[in-house]
Amino acid sequence: MLSHHDREALQKIEQWFELADPALVESFRRGSTRTPFCPRLGWVIVADVFAVLLILLASITSSAALVFTALATVGLAASLHVVRAMELKGRDA
């Protein structure tokens, strides 16, 4: 809980903002108009193909560094799929 003095101070600050920059105050009241990040399908497919190629190359060469890079790329591709699915589901709702 805020004290009476703190509430008055906050109200004075709000009034100052309303007088100094009404456009800023209005933008805060409207909320965010930024569109959320949604990876394009092309980049998701590129990440998938790159991950598969790295897995094949890692299995052929038996290189530990390539295995680690392939696993990291699979994780990246999977996260891109999840983000894209969540964003598309949010747009439909």
Side-chain angles (χ1 to χ4, degrees):
M1 292 304 264
L2 296 175
S3 68
H4 180 70
H5 175 70
D6 291 339
R7 281 184 293 204
E8 286 180 352
L10 282 175
Q11 191 163 9
K12 287 179 185 178
I13 292 171
E14 287 177 12
Q15 289 173 354
W16 179 83
F17 270 115
E18 288 174 354
L19 294 174
D21 197 352
L24 177 67
V25 173
E26 185 59 31
S27 70
F28 280 133
R29 288 189 178 136
R30 273 182 295 172
S32 176
T33 58
R34 181 182 70 87
T35 57
F37 173 73
C38 183
R40 294 186 185 271
L41 182 60
W43 287 112
V44 174
I45 293 172
V46 167
D48 290 340
V49 170
F50 189 63
V52 168
L53 290 176
L54 275 177
I55 289 171
L56 290 174
L57 188 61
S59 64
I60 291 171
T61 61
S62 299
S63 169
L66 279 177
V67 169
F68 177 75
T69 306
L71 290 175
T73 307
V74 167
L76 171 73
S79 65
L80 285 175
H81 279 282
V82 169
V83 168
R84 181 169 174 78
M86 288 173 50
E87 289 300 322
L88 292 177
K89 183 179 178 183
R91 287 183 186 171
D92 291 340

